[in-house]
Amino acid sequence: MNAVHGQQQTAVTGPGRPPRPDRLFDREDEWEALMSFAGDPHPGTDLGVVTGRPRQGKTLLLESVARATGGFYFCGQQATEAEALRRVGEEYARHREAGRPGPWRGWKECLDALLALGDDRPLPVVIDSFPELVAASPALPSVIQSALRHSDRPPPGNRARLLLAGETAPVMTRLFASSAPLRALTRLILDIRPLDFREAARLWGIDDPRLAFLVHTVVGGTPAYRHDYVNDDVPAGLDDFDAWVCRTVLNPRMPLFHEARHLLDEETGPRGRVICHSVLTALAMGCTTHGGAASYLGQQLADTSRALALLRDHGLLHSQPDGLQPGITRHHIADPLLAFEHAVARPRRAALEQSDAETVWQEARTDFDRLVAGRRFAQVCRDWAASYADWTALGADRVTAAHGSLSDPSATAGLDAEVVVRRKEGLLSGPLLSLGIARWNTSMDMHHLQRLRRVLERLDPRDGIGRVRLALYGAAGFSPELYAAHARGEVMLVDLEHLYRGV
């Protein structure tokens, strides 16, 4: 059980607000949102919700907020209701620097005492790992709802700021869905997401865009992996990347070697473990639709769909309509470490435990470039288009970016555009703005531009194709002819330097 002690007797508002601790990398927006909520001087008890997948720094962030404000922090765990109440009481006593209160007869008495901490000033009351408490006490959400609606509890100026936190999982979704009673009482909803590719480069302290991308392709933007899971081991340069992979993620003695399996088991539980591993393997092999994954695995479509839904509910998949055929939903593995595991490590697990990692990695390097790095590069290009691209070049300041595909009767394979950019209109995707092809290890030439033009020719004229910007995203360079086409305004060229530093 984590603890935060000490009391700070001044409200955390305005210029005097405590600064964000140095140990919290980035998270400026999240820190500001939580501190504003915690220090809001207006009377009335408020409710906030903080979600986030494991290892994203949610607990560190909440502990830091509680410590900076003199607030109360408690982290739940699997336990009976009686044990949980006893532990909350112990933490309450430490916070108050007083004797432990008599045994609370239930969560109502406990919540009354915790919320009373805000009688004199704005004060956050943080309950982390909230789903663990709900598992043992299913009535707890109703007790909280009743406590928050109970407006005549003295004194009327109570300013407790109750923060309920938990991993992004079905229980949090169910408790705080738009139709749920607690949602109507919630004034802050904060999702702690993994760092994006640019933020991850800063986290790892890597200036070389190619090396930053390769590291991101293995570990993604999960802050905990930077220190706790590799013992602060950062590749010294591009020529050290292969050795770094071997001594970290492919090293059975390192925590990162086991993390992907543990992560999936934590998220999905024992019942969904086997089918979810298999579905992730199918996705890692490039079978990104319901039907494609089911066919690859030889499973019933209904079984595969249930596994996809489970993975999506736990935030392990990105699911979105195809950029050119919206009737098709495509699924991509959200966590790079899971993609690396199922394309590279899992098929070679026995060899890794019996022989040296260098030999295994040398054999796996081609699969890494094709199945992992190539697909992650396309996703980074989509992320760049949606978050960093110059809106004047694309034609809108709010856009969506997706993988798009078309059938091609004249060829054995279809036509794909890895970066299909559309104007964002509310929750929907609007007119087409840009078509792009992304290639990780292939130098791009006029053939790729001609392929893009073929995709464009096959589109419905109602998509406004005359205004569509063509783009080539390449990590291995462009031909002189493409640079000439770029100078004529025929195509936008985006390389790794542009992805990491340009707009």
Side-chain angles (χ1 to χ4, degrees), residues 268-391:
T268 62
R271 289 191 301 171
R273 183 180 305 163
V274 175
I275 183 64
C276 285
H277 273 297
S278 295
V279 167
L280 287 173
T281 297
L283 295 176
M285 295 298 111
C287 304
T288 60
T289 65
H290 286 74
S295 177
Y296 179 87
L297 297 173
Q299 291 280 339
Q300 294 291 326
L301 188 62
D303 294 335
T304 303
S305 297
R306 281 193 290 270
L308 287 168
L310 180 61
L311 291 165
R312 185 175 58 250
D313 289 346
H314 285 272
L316 300 178
L317 293 185
H318 289 311
S319 300
Q320 66 180 147
D322 184 281
L324 299 176
Q325 299 183 87
I328 297 175
T329 298
R330 295 197 176 276
H331 309 277
H332 303 278
I333 301 174
D335 191 317
L337 185 63
L338 283 177
F340 182 92
E341 166 74 12
H342 289 84
V344 174
R346 188 167 179 260
R348 301 170 175 85
R349 184 67 62 180
L352 286 167
E353 293 176 344
Q354 296 172 11
S355 63
D356 63 286
E358 290 78 7
T359 300
V360 177
W361 176 239
Q362 185 177 11
E363 185 268 332
R365 195 56 158 86
T366 300
D367 280 352
F368 170 77
D369 284 326
R370 180 174 60 92
L371 299 175
V372 185
R375 296 199 176 105
R376 183 55 50 183
F377 180 70
Q379 183 60 53
V380 164
C381 293
R382 290 190 287 268
D383 293 342
W384 176 86
S387 301
Y388 293 106
D390 183 356
W391 72 269

Side-chain angles (χ1 to χ4, degrees), residues 4 58 100 190 238 243 341 464:
V4 175
K58 171 178 55 64
R100 190 168 75 87
L190 188 63
L238 271 174
E341 166 74 12

